[in-house]
Amino acid sequence: MAAYEAGTMSQADPKPRLRLALWLPLILFAALFALFVHGLTNPADTNVASAFVGNPLPQFDLPPAAADRPGLATRAFQTGKPKLLNVFASWCVPCAAEAPQLAALAQAGVEVDGVAIHDQRADLTRFLAANGNPYAAIGRDDQRAVQLAIGSSGVPETYVIDGRGVIRYQHIGDIRPEDVPKLLARVKDAGKGAGS
Amino acid sequence: MKIAHLAALLLIVSAPVLAQEHVPPAPYAYRQLDNPEQEARAKALMVTLRCVMCQSQSIADSDAPIAGDMRSEVRTRIAAGEDPEHIRQWLIARYGDYVTYAPQVKPITWPLFAAPVVILALAALLLRGRFGRPRQTNDEGSA
Amino acid sequence: MIAEVGLALLWLAAALAALQLVVGALALRPEGRALAGLVRPVAVMQGLLVMGAFAALVMLFVTTDLSVKLVVDNSHSAKPLIFKIAGTWGNHEGSMLLWVTIMAVAGAFVALIERRLDEATLTATLAGQAFISLGFYVFLLIASNPFARLAQPADEGQGLNPLLQDIGLAFHPPTLYVGYVGLSIAFSFAIGALVTRNVGPAFARAMRPWVLGAWIFLTLGITAGSYWAYYTLGWGGWWFWDPVENASLMPWLAATALLHSVSVLQSRDALRAWTVMLGVVAFSMSMVGTFLVRSGILTSVHAFAVDPQRGAFILALLAIDIGGALALFTLRAGTVTEGKRFGLVSREAALVFNNVMLSGILGIVLIGTLYPLLTEAYGVKVSVGAPYFNPAAGMFAFPMFVVMAVGPLLRWRQDRLSGARSGRRLWPLAVCLALVLAVLVGVELTAHGIALLPALGLSVAPGLLLASLLPLRGRNLRRTPLPVWGMVVAHAGIAVALFGMASESAFSVERLAALSIGEAREVGPWRVSLDGMMPVAGPNWTALEANVTTRYAGGTPVQLHPRAETFTNPPGTRNESALETRWNGQLYVVLGEQAEDGRWQMRFWWKPFVPLIWLGGALVGLGGALALLGRVMSDIRRLVAKDKIAWRRMRQGR
């Protein structure tokens, strides 16, 4: 024991520099703790938002997905009137849930165009018959070409497109009743922006 | 040549296991490119792209339908001669940096790239003066 | 009844942990010395009680007691017995109970057998252990009672996630837990030593077997987990740099560094503060890992038992335990000097260098794993994956491999690499270096398009393997101590695993194919044909099984049976890949879905030398086991010798 103590003493190091280094772990840990607390109290939004909002729609020309609606092409969004672009599918449950809200938006005078992802005509016809058909046009996107091109990561998603074909806003997930006025306001804003 | 021949035999393939969709996936979701060099390039890119729907998987490791469509998109573009990094940028423009497992050098990721250097500097700082010739007398005395 | 007994035992164990803490703290003061004798028996008793509580929970799962909430939520009467037992820890509450159980049992073990450490440090260690345990007891009893009953017994349980119903995964979490908890013992030793300011070789000697034991389990746990991910995720990947995987890798990196620094402390009385620091860091990484896995703040493909509330609780424990320990370190480490000095060329220096490199890799993994969380705080989503981790970790790993080859051949304290006699030691190293260069040139000349890292790995691995055997040169192999064998085997294991990783990355052949029955394909040197499709049924699943005939280079055919399984309780699917292992690699076959034209979507991979990854991992674990065995045996021998001396003295009437 005594020898050990003597050993320690004889090793006296220049202290000040070492002292600073000793605080380092505690400081790093405090930073880590702060990060964890922040991460816990602000759970990350698991949705991946489109980074493409603000850009003009890419060029596309989709064939019709349903018998009684035309297909969808980029030029349909360059008419000077803002529209909604709804990315959906007949196999998606939340898409059925948002159908009344889409109908309400269409009722309010907003044109809603659809892009049906990985869908078959028979399934889609059944879906539209059961849930109503608020769409003015439905394009058929079997390979998610348009979906990928606008940075959409799932169904349903709804985009506000202004009259010049520029994406103005993205709504992720199904549209709840309380979202309808918000979307209407967004469409109105988009109309103003394009008009000026 | 044999490989190209074999790959040419492949036709439209089935839906992935976890699909809730009943439509065949995009053509190149489960089909490799005929040109092995292009396929290798596509594969190298795909393992570094993150599936935007899944928990934490690259599009090369995922059965999610959208991952299949992203693979098809990548393979189609590579087959058309597009540069892999250009495809990555195209996807980043749409999904943000989330989509790439290879972090892009920009102000928000500077600390990430500085990390190895900072760690080395810290190590050097801590070790400075640690090494020295053992002081014969002192050490032997206390041992 | 069993549930109530279990809960009662758990409360009693918690009470004893509190007692252990209070008595231990009091015994450290001069006026409380008399209490010191109480600490060991209390620790033993606590271990026994919590073992009883855990046994009660296992019983509940085995008998599928459907009045217990945890059983209903995670088990099912039709599950095979082995998965009923595994179901005990395949959930949050049960795994936390397993955690305290292992911790208390390990504490009891320390109390029973540790005789080399001075009594004060041991008392402080046991008090520290009780303090950590107490946090987990509170967590269990207040926020995650595993024994909670349902008001109304359920008719049937909800079953276990099909992915978790796998023999490899059944034992993967407990293996990792043993590792984590073993590190908690090392942590407690570090605390004890800081409290009594007694950091020296005796402390290192006491701590070393625990670090070694924990490290063996971590090694095996990670290896098994990687193999499990490889064959169940169905895409042939074996490491994804996923947050949950990283969470298990970080404690291993810290433990590996600790293992080496503790050996320096034991044999040379150097690196005192650094070793204590690593003891704290290693367990911190276990807690951080547990927190990351449980809180779900990072998305993972292996997400399991995620709940933010529990995350908050674990974070609180993390802050108290680790924050406290680091504060203690900051206050005390100034008085714990680094100990003996050593030359730039010495075994210590090599070990220190590799400690720093391991810590560097640890830093990279930690930063890369948490970086998305950091940017998220600024509203930006980024992903960090292999393109960052591989080169950044490689920057530290490859210099480490070089030093790892040389280090074991150096002398302690100060070595000279010039002079007549060093030539004899150095020429084998020159052979290794030549081997590395030869392979590198060979790889570059014959194989095209291999990336830098796999090429480096392929060339460094054989040289490293040879170099890791060099410490045996000139020794009588039968009289070589087990710990030396352990080091050699473990280092060779690293080289073997490195070769497997590099080969997998450089030479894998992937073939995706839609096959009709009777069709064949070529996959690298293999010819595979789909011969038939059969429905099969397991205990709680049904599946479609493909009959695939495979032939390696025209050799004898081997039948493989990949399956697509469908589970009913709870509903889910699982792809059971089929593997054919040869000495030079593995064929990996996955059955996908049927296309509309009736063909079957299949995925094939030929992965040369890929099993070496896990073989290497197993070798590393074996090396650890040999070293541990050697140390335990020499300890026993010493104890027996001491007893004999004591007995002789007694007989001589003294």
Side-chain angles (χ1 to χ4, degrees):
Chain A
M1 203 58 213
Y4 167 75
E5 290 295 340
T8 342
M9 292 304 137
S10 68
Q11 297 298 314
D13 253 326
K15 282 290 179 250
R17 184 164 50 80
L18 203 65
R19 281 270 154 75
L20 257 180
L22 289 181
W23 281 96
L24 197 65
L26 197 59
I27 293 165
L28 287 178
F29 178 74
L32 206 63
F33 180 73
L35 180 64
F36 287 162
V37 169
H38 187 272
L40 263 189
T41 48
N42 304 280
D45 184 2
T46 49
N47 296 311
V48 182
S50 172
F52 210 54
V53 176
N55 287 298
L57 277 176
Q59 285 300 319
F60 61 87
D61 193 352
L62 295 174
D68 55 348
R69 292 289 190 278
L72 193 61
T74 313
R75 57 184 176 280
F77 295 94
Q78 291 157 347
T79 56
K81 243 187 82 184
K83 293 183 183 182
L84 288 179
L85 174 62
N86 182 241
V87 183
F88 76 109
S90 66
W91 43 261
C92 129
V93 178
C95 298
E98 72 170 359
Q101 283 70 257
L102 279 178
L105 285 162
Q107 205 80 58
V110 182
E111 190 181 317
V112 182
D113 292 334
V115 170
I117 306 294
H118 277 222
D119 232 327
Q120 273 175 341
R121 188 159 287 195
D123 294 338
L124 191 62
T125 309
R126 222 173 300 130
F127 176 85
L128 294 174
N131 301 297
N133 185 348
Y135 303 102
I138 307 177
R140 172 174 180 160
D141 191 5
D142 283 352
Q143 298 169 22
R144 297 188 204 254
V146 171
Q147 198 188 7
L148 293 179
I150 59 176
S152 155
S153 52
V155 280
E157 286 186 11
T158 307
Y159 291 80
V160 176
I161 317 288
D162 72 11
R164 286 178 303 186
V166 175
I167 303 171
R168 288 307 184 87
Y169 179 71
Q170 179 197 29
H171 178 88
I172 299 177
D174 54 325
I175 302 170
R176 303 286 167 87
E178 62 268 26
D179 297 325
V180 172
K182 267 186 268 172
L183 273 168
L184 279 175
R186 293 282 183 177
V187 171
K188 213 173 146 195
D189 282 355
K192 265 185 248 157
S196 61
Chain B
M1 273 300 101
K2 201 168 201 176
I3 293 168
H5 174 70
L6 277 174
L9 281 173
L10 306 185
L11 286 178
I12 304 297
V13 292
S14 77
V17 177
L18 297 174
Q20 63 279 65
E21 302 157 35
H22 307 293
V23 168
Y28 284 103
Y30 287 88
R31 177 185 162 185
Q32 291 165 298
L33 290 172
D34 297 347
N35 180 336
E37 228 165 89
Q38 287 184 335
E39 173 64 24
R41 225 176 306 149
K43 172 88 183 176
L45 176 61
M46 289 187 302
V47 296
T48 67
L49 293 176
R50 185 169 187 166
C51 166
V52 289
M53 269 287 268
C54 331
Q55 289 293 324
S56 162
Q57 283 173 307
S58 81
I59 61 170
D61 300 319
S62 174
D63 281 314
I66 197 168
D69 290 334
M70 289 171 81
R71 287 196 293 272
S72 193
E73 180 80 25
V74 167
R75 286 198 173 109
T76 312
R77 282 165 178 268
I78 294 275
E82 203 172 325
D83 176 58
E85 279 316 300
H86 190 257
I87 301 171
R88 189 195 303 281
Q89 294 309 323
W90 187 86
L91 280 166
I92 290 175
R94 276 144 188 90
Y95 293 100
D97 282 351
Y98 180 83
V99 80
T100 171
Y101 272 123
Q104 303 296 294
V105 183
K106 46 181 78 171
I108 188 117
T109 58
W110 282 348
L112 188 62
F113 289 99
V117 183
V118 170
I119 291 172
L120 278 180
L122 261 179
L125 202 75
L126 283 176
L127 288 178
R128 194 159 57 112
R130 271 276 74 81
F131 293 118
R133 223 167 281 140
R135 280 163 291 177
Q136 211 72 26
T137 48
N138 245 350
D139 276 353
E140 294 310 311
S142 67
Chain C
M1 182 57 194
I2 299 176
E4 282 70 32
V5 171
L7 188 59
L9 289 175
L10 193 58
W11 273 105
L12 282 175
L16 281 190
L19 183 66
Q20 186 179 330
L21 172 62
V22 173
V23 169
L26 288 178
L28 286 175
R29 305 182 158 277
E31 55 271 35
R33 280 278 151 76
L35 288 169
L38 214 55
V39 177
R40 283 187 197 245
V42 167
V44 173
M45 206 51 219
Q46 187 212 334
L48 288 175
L49 285 172
V50 75
M51 256 164 84
F54 187 72
L57 191 64
V58 173
M59 279 294 288
L60 292 174
F61 269 85
V62 168
T63 56
T64 318
D65 185 335
L66 292 171
S67 65
V68 174
K69 188 171 181 304
L70 193 67
V71 176
V72 173
D73 288 349
N74 297 288
S75 195
H76 190 278
S77 58
K79 220 165 53 165
L81 178 65
I82 184 79
F83 295 123
K84 282 184 185 168
I85 296 174
T88 313
W89 54 77
N91 58 75
H92 167 75
E93 286 84 355
S95 61
M96 280 292 124
L97 182 59
L98 177 64
W99 178 295
V100 285
T101 304
I102 303 173
M103 204 148 148
V105 170
F109 214 61
V110 171
L112 270 181
I113 62 162
E114 186 52 57
R115 302 279 167 211
R116 285 162 302 190
L117 207 54
D118 62 293
E119 204 57 30
T121 305
L122 184 82
T123 303
T125 300
L126 287 176
Q129 186 77 2
F131 182 73
I132 306 166
S133 296
L134 205 53
F136 283 93
Y137 282 120
V138 170
F139 186 22
L140 269 170
L141 290 168
I142 290 177
S144 26
N145 177 8
F147 296 106
R149 294 254 192 207
L150 289 171
Q152 199 72 52
D155 294 329
E156 190 45 277
Q158 291 168 3
L160 182 69
N161 181 347
L163 277 181
L164 300 183
Q165 294 192 32
D166 178 280
I167 196 74
L169 199 69
F171 294 97
H172 165 65
T175 311
L176 276 183
Y177 281 173
V178 173
Y180 286 176
V181 174
L183 291 181
S184 86
I185 303 279
F187 176 83
S188 302
F189 272 121
I191 300 295
L194 277 177
V195 167
T196 57
R197 290 191 176 86
N198 199 350
V199 184
F203 153 77
R205 210 171 291 128
M207 177 162 150
R208 195 169 180 185
W210 292 98
V211 178
L212 196 52
W215 180 79
I216 295 167
F217 278 96
L218 286 177
T219 307
L220 296 179
I222 293 170
T223 308
S226 156
Y227 193 65
W228 171 79
Y230 169 74
Y231 77 75
T232 45
L233 291 183
W235 287 89
W238 60 273
W239 191 264
F240 302 91
W241 294 108
D242 178 89
V244 165
E245 296 169 354
N246 294 351
S248 69
L249 182 63
M250 290 188 287
W252 184 85
L253 289 165
T256 311
L258 176 60
L259 185 65
H260 290 89
S261 83
V262 91
S263 80
V264 175
L265 180 57
Q266 183 186 340
S267 11
R268 295 293 309 154
D269 194 13
L271 301 183
R272 291 182 194 142
W274 176 253
T275 303
V276 170
M277 184 71 223
L278 277 179
V280 174
V281 166
F283 182 60
S284 310
M285 287 302 137
S286 306
M287 295 266 298
V288 164
T290 308
F291 167 73
L292 290 179
V293 174
R294 296 302 164 89
S295 66
I297 61 171
L298 292 166
T299 46
S300 156
V301 62
H302 312 293
F304 145 78
V306 163
D307 181 338
Q309 227 115 55
R310 290 166 187 164
F313 218 114
I314 298 175
L315 184 57
L317 291 182
L318 182 77
I320 296 168
D321 293 349
I322 309 303
L326 287 174
L328 186 64
F329 178 83
T330 307
L331 294 176
R332 285 288 162 87
T335 58
V336 178
T337 56
E338 270 304 301
K340 297 235 176 71
R341 302 172 74 88
F342 41 81
L344 193 58
V345 180
S346 64
R347 175 128 19 131
E348 289 100 317
L351 284 164
V352 165
F353 182 83
N354 278 3
N355 252 271
V356 170
M357 291 297 120
L358 280 167
S359 310
I361 298 173
L362 173 62
I364 292 292
V365 176
L366 184 66
I367 290 169
T369 307
L370 295 180
Y371 208 75
L373 195 60
L374 184 67
T375 62
E376 188 80 53
Y378 293 93
V380 182
K381 276 188 194 314
V382 301
S383 302
V384 181
Y388 174 78
F389 286 113
N390 287 346
M395 265 174 60
F396 294 92
F398 281 100
M400 181 175 82
F401 293 145
V402 173
V403 174
M404 190 177 132
V406 181
L409 305 175
L410 296 178
R411 292 199 191 92
W412 290 110
R413 210 162 63 83
Q414 174 81 59
D415 204 341
R416 243 179 269 273
L417 289 182
S418 53
R421 278 199 293 167
S422 59
R424 232 181 66 78
R425 281 190 301 142
L426 286 182
W427 73 258
L429 278 177
V431 172
C432 295
L433 185 66
L435 185 63
V436 168
L437 291 176
V439 178
L440 186 62
V441 169
V443 164
E444 287 301 317
L445 286 184
T446 57
H448 297 288
I450 292 185
L452 175 69
L453 283 176
L456 268 180
L458 282 175
S459 43
V460 167
L464 184 58
L465 179 66
L466 195 60
S468 58
L469 302 179
L470 288 181
L472 294 178
R473 203 170 68 102
R475 276 180 189 268
N476 179 343
L477 291 190
R478 293 169 70 191
R479 302 181 73 183
T480 303
L482 274 181
V484 174
W485 274 109
M487 176 190 75
V488 166
V489 171
H491 284 184
I494 296 284
V496 168
L498 176 67
F499 191 80
M501 293 170 197
S503 168
E504 195 270 347
S505 164
F507 302 126
S508 284
V509 177
E510 178 182 55
R511 191 70 67 236
L512 311 177
L515 297 179
S516 36
I517 309 288
E519 248 187 295
R521 279 288 183 283
E522 279 178 22
V523 183
W526 292 81
R527 188 166 177 79
V528 294
S529 64
L530 178 62
D531 289 351
M533 203 58 83
M534 279 271 280
V536 289
N540 52 349
W541 47 265
T542 54
L544 269 175
E545 188 177 275
N547 190 4
V548 181
T549 305
T550 65
R551 240 176 234 274
Y552 181 83
T556 41
V558 178
Q559 302 290 322
L560 290 183
H561 303 282
R563 285 199 301 259
E565 297 169 346
T566 308
F567 284 73
T568 42
N569 300 304
T573 58
R574 183 173 79 180
N575 270 353
E576 194 74 0
S577 54
L579 300 171
E580 173 61 17
T581 311
R582 285 173 51 85
W583 69 270
N584 64 343
Q586 210 163 37
L587 181 72
Y588 186 115
V589 184
V590 180
L591 172 63
E593 283 212 339
Q594 191 171 25
E596 287 179 332
D597 63 359
R599 302 203 294 173
W600 294 91
Q601 175 57 45
M602 312 225 27
R603 309 197 283 260
F604 302 96
W605 282 272
W606 164 237
K607 291 177 173 288
F609 297 109
V610 71
L612 293 187
I613 298 175
W614 306 290
L615 178 69
L619 279 178
V620 173
L622 174 69
L626 286 177
L628 187 59
L629 189 67
R631 298 206 181 281
V632 169
M633 270 170 38
S634 71
D635 278 357
I636 290 175
R637 239 177 274 135
R638 194 177 313 134
L639 282 180
V640 169
K642 234 188 221 167
D643 277 0
K644 265 191 194 148
I645 293 169
W647 187 69
R648 234 176 261 148
R649 278 192 185 149
M650 218 168 65
R651 275 233 323 212
Q652 285 161 7
R654 263 183 270 178

